[in-house]
Amino acid sequence: MASGWVERVSAFCGSPSRFLSGTSPEVFLAELLRELRDDRANYNVKVLLLSPLCEYPALLCPSDSVGEETALELMSIFAQSPLKFVHFRSQLLVALTCVLTCSPDASSRLRAFPDFLDLLLQLAQDTSDLHGDAAQRSLRATACDCLREMEALYPGLLSQRLELLGALRHQETSRLHQAYAGLQTLVLRNVVYLLTGEKEAGAAHLKALLGGNESVGWEADQNLGSASGKNTKPLSSVILTPMGTVPTLHTGPDCKELRSALSSLLEESYLFTPLSQAALLYRLTEVVAMVPAIPPTIFRAQLLRLLGTSEVSLLHTTLLMKSAFTDSLFSSEDEAFLLKRLVVFSQHPLLSTPEKLFYMDCILHFPENRPISCGDSDEALPVLLTPRLASALLPVVFNDSATLLARFNLLSLVYLEAGEEEDGRGLEYLYEHLTSLLRIVESGGKRESVVTFFRAVFLFLLHFHHVERYCDNLSQQLCQLYLQHTRFAPHLINLADQTQEKLPDSTWAFGLLKALQRVISQTPLSQVTLRDLSWHLKVLTRAAEEGGIPQHATLRFLSGVITPSLSSLTSSADWRLGNGILGVCRRLLVHPSLDSILIPLADVLQHLAGHYGDTDIRDHARLYYTLLTTLSREKLATVLAHHAEGGQQIKKRTLSCLMTEGEGLTSILTIHETEAAIFRLIETHCEQPEAKDLIQDETERGELETYRAQFGDPTFASQVTLKFLLTHTETRDARFDQLFSIRLHFSLTDDHYSELQDLSVPCLFRERPPPVVALALKPKEPHPTRLHVSAIFTTQDGLTWHTTLPDIHVCFQQIFLPLPAPLSWGQTGRQAVFAGLWEEISGETGECADSLFCCRLEEEALSALVEKHFLPFLVSDPAHKDQFRVLLFLPPQSHVLLKISSEEDAVHFNIATDRWQLLPHINDYLLKITAS
């Protein structure tokens, strides 16, 4: 059994959607809770069973009612679990926290939430393990973590417990001390933040909260008190740039309690781990930033330790502190020292690459005491970072890709700020570094080296595109690189595209494309391979997009390629090659200088149309030639335009549906999609099928045995037929008033049913009565389901349309069928089957189960309920009011038996079923019909 659960939980966590396609969240959750309640189950397995609730609480508890019931059940399991199973109890607290906090509104799970909060506070205050078993201490640590999670999600939840948390922190001598300190700091920060939003809040309110020890105000009519007021979402950081603002709480000089609490926390912070110290200092920095009466110099005693730290988390917190307080806390000497440390750390050989990249990013976003720029996101160097100081970060070819690019970008900014453009030694070094990378790529560098080189080129152009001497040389070197390695064509095209996008005023990309066109057209065709030609055509296609580049050289190159006497490249009649040539021609058809190149372009197209070996290429070339020779320039540009002005694509239904390389084959859509549903299926009355006569053999077997024998008959088809009216929706569109040849397609959302056949409806007219559609369901498992429905139909104008209908929800009661027994058996035979099934279910285990449902109903109401909902399934005499017997058959072979009787205190529904997984659905159904 344990191994089965291990496999099921692993399957669920691996792919929840795939796992739930074979069952439902309600059934799986019921199975989990049932196993967790079982005292015989191994507790290691129970810990595993809690993982689905921890990782996917919203999936298993989709509604607030389910979440609340699950939380109450888990709390009951916690109360009954032995104290020695600490790991299981700790994981149970985590699961409870996940279930209760997966809802955005805590008030929706009101009953369980305050009880669980009280439980966590009791566990946090239980200090009986101070001198005892350390294992029990882990339960307190988990409780503290759960409280911190809930306080983070619902700010102000523990606002009345600040004094208690401080007392727990002072008396704790174990490692839990920092957990209590972190929780107290978070609550303190949230309290101050929430008070900043109150108009009349001041020192008195803050003092009351710091010294209060009242119970948490959880009352339903107060909507969860302060926790569910204005701020029910986690609070974001309040630390902004020095140019920004933070919410403030004006307390005046009287805030001794707050100052005392802050000092106490700061004095103990050095005892914590680096991560805990960083979190505590960050929260306290937010508090001091929001209370102007507390001077930032309260951190002065910690500053010396922070400036000398080598911990990433603490150094980051120091930078955030500097961003919040600037010269109120940090002197100019502190600023210079901190910047130098960042430079040292950025190239320290003992640090990992991610750490060094982080330090370089800190330099680019260094919070200065007196910043010149107020930009928040753009990279800006600090004034104190001089070329001499940054020289330690010069990139070298031995750096990894990320480090090299980060250093290259940083040094580019440094030399740009220093004004080293024409004669600067730093800029010369960067260009020499680019040249070194170029040599590596030329000699056959790996893909990472190639990508690094082109990214470095882009960075260089981004900062120094105005330095013509270097940029012109760079273009020439890139052209030579392309001739040696034509496979770099996509990199060069992308470089040109990105440069034009980022530097719209620069002409460098235009010059590069023009130079590439020149070197390609001047290359002897005898030296061009078929693969090189495919890359050349891509570059020429991109160059043809530039209206300022003359295209005579491109046409001469194309003419040479397709002429057999000059080149043998087109002799293979390769479709891809022909498509590449057509792609260049298509760009040339919309080129601004089309008038000057019309004759050579027409010659190329005419030659392709008459001599190219591929039929498809000849057809498209003939089409292009026809367009070129028959349409005016304006009409030709309109037909072939990719996009209209404003970026919206032109609707093309005839000549514009042309195939070119990179665009794929575009054709006229033969099936149109409707914007909304045109018609829908409405459930109508469904008559139950009549039972077939069962043939009894000569031995006159018993009714139950004869009844069960039919399940082995291959002709026995256990199915449910649902009938619907196919009718138009309320939204009227005259195009769809008369529909023909409607084909309905049904898609399953789970594995509980066999695949459904498509249904055909001849026609649907709005002014005529709606046709009836019969849908036959063949259940594999008798569970509720949802069906996706779509349809294809034809309108009066001959167009074919596709539409999506609203989903069909198959409820649990819709798959009820009467007992499939012959009418000749009469009431006596059905009662015998009922009695036999009840006795069989009561005496077996495994899939069988029984249950009891109780409710308060008057005798008349009970009779009306039975007559309304259970009359077709009644096997007892309706005149006998003392007990009703109901037998529900659920295809393919499941049964639900009900004995309904009025007792002294309530109406009892005694339930027996040969499939216990149906009990949750039965319970929901009975709740629904008895409530109405």
Side-chain angles (χ1 to χ4, degrees):
M1 188 65 181
S3 61
W5 273 112
V6 171
E7 294 175 357
R8 294 189 68 191
V9 172
S10 299
F12 173 81
C13 295
S15 179
S17 58
R18 181 184 302 175
F19 180 86
L20 293 177
S21 65
T23 182
S24 64
E26 295 81 5
V27 172
F28 184 57
L29 178 62
E31 294 175 354
L32 287 176
L33 295 177
R34 182 180 183 182
E35 189 69 16
L36 288 171
R37 287 193 299 267
D38 191 352
D39 296 334
R40 298 168 296 177
N42 184 281
Y43 276 87
N44 291 329
V45 177
K46 288 187 176 183
V47 172
L48 179 66
L49 295 178
L50 292 172
S51 57
L53 289 170
C54 295
E55 297 181 25
Y56 302 97
L59 188 61
L60 295 178
C61 305
S63 63
D64 294 327
S65 59
V66 175
E68 183 178 355
E69 292 175 3
T70 304
L72 292 174
E73 186 67 27
L74 292 177
M75 290 181 64
S76 174
I77 295 172
F78 181 87
Q80 298 173 10
S81 61
L83 298 178
K84 62 180 180 179
F85 297 108
V86 178
H87 185 45
F88 171 69
R89 288 164 62 84
S90 300
Q91 197 68 15
L92 200 54
L93 293 179
V94 176
L96 270 163
T97 305
C98 295
V99 169
L100 288 173
T101 57
C102 68
S103 173
D105 185 9
S107 62
S108 60
R109 300 178 182 182
L110 184 61
R111 285 192 301 164
F113 210 101
D115 294 340
F116 180 57
L117 185 62
D118 291 339
L119 173 62
L120 291 177
L121 289 171
Q122 291 174 10
L123 293 173
Q125 298 176 65
D126 184 10
T127 58
S128 58
D129 61 343
L130 287 177
H131 306 287
D133 185 11
Q136 294 294 333
R137 199 173 300 144
S138 65
L139 186 63
R140 282 203 295 143
T142 304
C144 195
D145 291 339
C146 293
L147 285 172
R148 185 169 64 250
E149 182 72 15
M150 296 173 72
E151 173 65 26
L153 291 175
Y154 306 107
L157 181 66
L158 301 175
S159 58
Q160 299 291 336
R161 296 289 185 172
L162 268 173
E163 187 178 28
L164 172 63
L165 296 175
L168 292 175
R169 175 176 63 86
H170 283 298
Q171 73 181 20
E172 187 62 46
T173 58
S174 68
R175 62 180 177 85
L176 291 181
H177 181 86
Q178 72 176 13
Y180 286 121
L183 178 59
Q184 182 188 4
T185 306
L186 176 62
V187 176
L188 179 61
R189 181 262 192 191
N190 288 345
V191 165
V192 174
Y193 187 93
L194 294 175
L195 286 178
T196 59
E198 301 294 334
K199 295 182 179 180
E200 299 179 358
H205 298 80
L206 183 59
K207 183 177 180 180
L209 290 173
L210 289 172
N213 192 19
E214 302 175 3
S215 60
V216 181
W218 284 92
E219 295 294 340
D221 56 350
Q222 296 178 357
N223 194 19
L224 294 184
S226 62
S228 296
K230 299 178 181 179
N231 298 280
T232 58
K233 296 181 179 180
L235 303 181
S236 58
S237 173
V238 299
I239 297 181
L240 303 175
T241 62
M243 295 292 182
T245 58
V246 297
T248 56
L249 177 63
H250 299 285
T251 60
D254 185 19
C255 54
K256 297 179 181 179
E257 292 80 4
L258 178 59
R259 187 191 298 268
S260 175
L262 295 177
S263 300
S264 176
L265 289 167
L266 288 172
E267 288 173 1
E268 299 170 356
S269 62
Y270 75 96
L271 298 172
F272 303 159
T273 62
L275 287 177
S276 296
Q277 286 187 57
L280 182 139
L281 291 172
Y282 178 69
R283 296 303 181 193
L284 294 185
T285 300
E286 291 182 302
V287 172
V288 175
M290 290 186 288
V291 184
I294 304 294
T297 53
I298 194 173
F299 295 103
R300 194 64 193 177
Q302 313 294 326
L303 198 57
L304 182 61
R305 176 168 58 89
L306 294 175
L307 289 175
T309 184
S310 60
E311 295 289 342
V312 177
S313 57
L314 289 177
L315 189 57
H316 185 223
T317 302
T318 306
L319 292 171
L320 292 174
M321 195 180 298
K322 189 177 187 306
S323 176
F325 303 129
T326 62
D327 55 358
S328 300
L329 179 60
F330 291 82
S331 64
S332 57
E333 291 80 9
D334 296 333
E335 184 177 48
F337 178 77
L338 186 56
L339 182 59
K340 290 179 180 178
R341 283 189 64 81
L342 289 175
V343 173
V344 171
F345 284 145
S346 297
Q347 47 87 38
H348 201 287
L350 296 182
L351 296 181
S352 64
T353 298
E355 290 177 314
K356 289 186 282 189
L357 292 175
F358 168 74
Y359 289 127
M360 277 189 277
D361 191 70
C362 290
I363 294 175
L364 290 175
H365 301 87
F366 187 77
E368 298 180 273
N369 284 349
R370 300 183 181 277
I372 298 176
S373 173
C374 60
D376 244 351
S377 57
D378 296 335
E379 297 174 344
L381 292 177
V383 177
L384 295 178
L385 186 64
T386 61
R388 181 177 180 181
L389 179 60
S391 61
L393 299 177
L394 286 172
V396 294
V397 293
F398 301 107
N399 294 136
D400 61 273
S401 176
T403 302
L404 188 150
L405 293 173
R407 288 189 175 192
F408 196 94
N409 181 53
L410 180 63
L411 268 296
S412 297
L413 289 171
V414 169
Y415 296 136
L416 187 64
E417 289 290 335
E420 297 188 14
E421 297 178 358
E422 293 291 343
D423 301 324
R425 182 70 185 88
L427 181 56
E428 182 180 352
Y429 176 86
L430 292 180
Y431 187 77
E432 290 177 355
H433 182 70
L434 271 184
T435 305
S436 301
L437 293 176
L438 177 63
R439 298 292 176 262
I440 296 175
V441 173
E442 284 180 341
S443 59
K446 297 181 179 179
R447 181 181 181 277
E448 182 180 5
S449 301
V450 175
V451 173
T452 302
F453 166 70
F454 280 100
R455 288 179 176 177
V457 170
F458 176 72
L459 290 174
F460 185 87
L461 293 171
L462 201 60
H463 300 299
F464 304 109
H465 59 90
H466 54 282
V467 185
E468 296 182 0
R469 177 166 60 94
Y470 290 117
C471 291
D472 293 343
N473 291 337
L474 185 59
S475 297
Q476 296 176 9
Q477 290 182 317
L478 290 175
C479 289
Q480 294 301 318
L481 176 65
Y482 173 73
L483 290 179
Q484 298 178 32
H485 303 281
T486 56
R487 59 187 175 88
F488 294 155
H491 295 282
L492 290 167
I493 294 174
N494 182 58
L495 177 63
D497 292 340
Q498 295 300 319
T499 305
Q500 280 189 335
E501 179 182 347
K502 295 294 182 181
L503 303 170
D505 297 331
S506 174
T507 60
W508 183 86
F510 176 85
L512 174 65
L513 293 171
K514 187 175 181 180
L516 288 172
Q517 181 210 40
R518 184 180 65 254
V519 297
I520 291 173
S521 60
Q522 293 176 356
T523 302
L525 293 178
S526 59
Q527 301 177 7
V528 178
T529 64
L530 190 61
R531 182 164 182 79
D532 290 342
L533 181 59
S534 65
W535 294 122
H536 289 341
L537 294 174
K538 290 180 182 293
V539 175
L540 293 176
T541 301
R542 176 63 182 87
E545 295 180 13
E546 299 296 328
I549 299 180
Q551 298 299 320
H552 294 86
T554 298
L555 283 171
R556 285 195 298 270
F557 179 79
L558 294 180
S559 179
V561 169
I562 64 176
T563 303
S565 60
L566 300 177
S567 171
S568 61
L569 295 173
T570 58
S571 59
S572 61
D574 183 77
W575 180 87
R576 294 180 182 274
L577 177 60
N579 192 39
I581 298 174
L582 286 177
V584 181
C585 294
R586 188 188 189 286
R587 298 293 183 186
L588 296 177
L589 286 172
V590 294
H591 197 272
S593 62
L594 178 62
D595 294 339
S596 62
I597 60 175
L598 189 146
I599 294 178
L601 178 57
D603 292 340
V604 171
L605 291 173
Q606 189 176 27
H607 189 279
L608 288 174
H611 300 91
Y612 200 82
D614 186 85
T615 305
D616 185 61
I617 301 301
R618 290 202 306 270
D619 290 343
H620 281 84
R622 190 176 297 109
L623 175 61
Y624 285 164
Y625 181 80
T626 304
L627 294 176
L628 178 64
T629 55
T630 57
L631 295 181
S632 65
R633 180 176 174 181
E634 292 75 14
K635 292 182 179 180
L636 183 63
T638 302
V639 170
L640 297 178
H642 283 295
H643 299 276
E645 294 183 3
Q648 295 183 352
Q649 190 171 359
I650 295 177
K651 295 182 179 180
K652 302 178 279 289
R653 297 188 57 180
T654 53
L655 295 179
S656 59
C657 296
L658 306 175
M659 189 281 297
T660 59
E661 193 277 332
E663 298 172 4
L665 182 60
T666 307
S667 60
I668 301 175
L669 292 177
T670 56
I671 299 181
H672 305 270
E673 188 74 26
T674 62
E675 296 180 358
I678 303 302
F679 43 82
R680 58 184 175 176
L681 292 170
I682 301 177
E683 184 183 1
T684 186
H685 176 67
C686 178
E687 297 181 357
Q688 302 294 345
E690 295 184 359
K692 298 180 180 179
D693 286 336
L694 303 181
I695 301 176
Q696 293 182 313
D697 56 22
E698 297 179 356
T699 59
E700 291 295 328
R701 296 178 295 181
E703 286 84 351
L704 181 58
E705 185 179 355
T706 304
Y707 168 73
R708 287 201 178 278
Q710 66 180 328
F711 295 146
D713 187 355
T715 62
F716 179 77
S718 183
Q719 67 180 25
V720 179
T721 301
L722 303 180
K723 292 188 177 180
F724 301 91
L725 294 177
L726 184 63
T727 178
H728 281 88
T729 58
E730 296 178 358
T731 304
R732 181 155 189 169
D733 190 333
R735 295 176 298 172
F736 306 117
D737 285 348
Q738 296 183 359
L739 307 178
F740 305 90
S741 301
I742 303 170
R743 187 74 172 179
L744 297 172
H745 177 72
F746 302 88
S747 301
L748 300 173
T749 58
D750 50 49
D751 295 335
H752 298 323
Y753 292 81
S754 300
E755 292 295 331
L756 302 175
Q757 298 294 327
D758 292 352
L759 298 179
S760 296
V761 179
C763 60
L764 175 64
F765 294 169
R766 187 180 291 273
E767 65 275 5
R768 295 183 184 178
V772 178
V773 177
L775 177 63
L777 298 176
K778 294 183 179 180
K780 299 178 182 177
E781 301 288 343
H783 292 288
T785 189
R786 187 175 77 256
L787 305 176
H788 296 320
V789 189
S790 60
I792 294 178
F793 60 91
T794 304
T795 51
Q796 196 171 11
D797 55 4
L799 293 178
T800 302
W801 293 81
H802 176 270
T803 187
T804 301
L805 282 68
D807 289 349
I808 295 177
H809 294 269
V810 180
C811 303
F812 183 57
Q813 61 270 22
Q814 288 181 280
I815 55 179
F816 292 171
L817 292 178
L819 185 69
L823 298 176
S824 60
W825 277 20
Q827 188 173 356
T828 304
R830 286 175 169 77
Q831 288 181 351
V833 174
F834 182 94
L837 286 173
W838 189 279
E839 181 180 358
E840 185 179 271
I841 293 173
S842 301
E844 291 187 6
T845 57
E847 293 292 320
C848 299
D850 52 26
S851 182
L852 176 65
F853 178 86
C854 300
C855 67
R856 294 185 179 275
L857 286 175
E858 299 296 335
E859 183 176 352
E860 294 79 4
L862 176 60
S863 299
L865 182 143
V866 172
E867 182 177 356
K868 180 178 180 182
H869 298 284
F870 296 122
L871 188 59
F873 318 105
L874 202 61
V875 297
S876 61
D877 189 350
H880 296 163
K881 306 290 186 178
D882 54 339
Q883 186 182 73
F884 298 99
R885 294 190 175 189
V886 176
L887 200 162
L888 307 173
F889 175 72
L890 291 86
Q893 297 180 17
S894 299
H895 304 82
V896 175
L897 287 71
L898 301 176
K899 290 182 178 180
I900 308 173
S901 59
S902 255
E903 304 297 336
E904 295 181 358
D905 54 343
V907 174
H908 288 192
F909 289 76
N910 289 282
I911 307 169
T913 178
D914 49 11
R915 187 168 187 81
W916 66 266
Q917 291 89 345
L918 300 179
L919 288 177
H921 302 307
I922 300 170
N923 181 71
D924 293 341
Y925 176 62
L926 293 178
L927 281 173
K928 179 180 178 181
I929 63 174
T930 54
S932 60

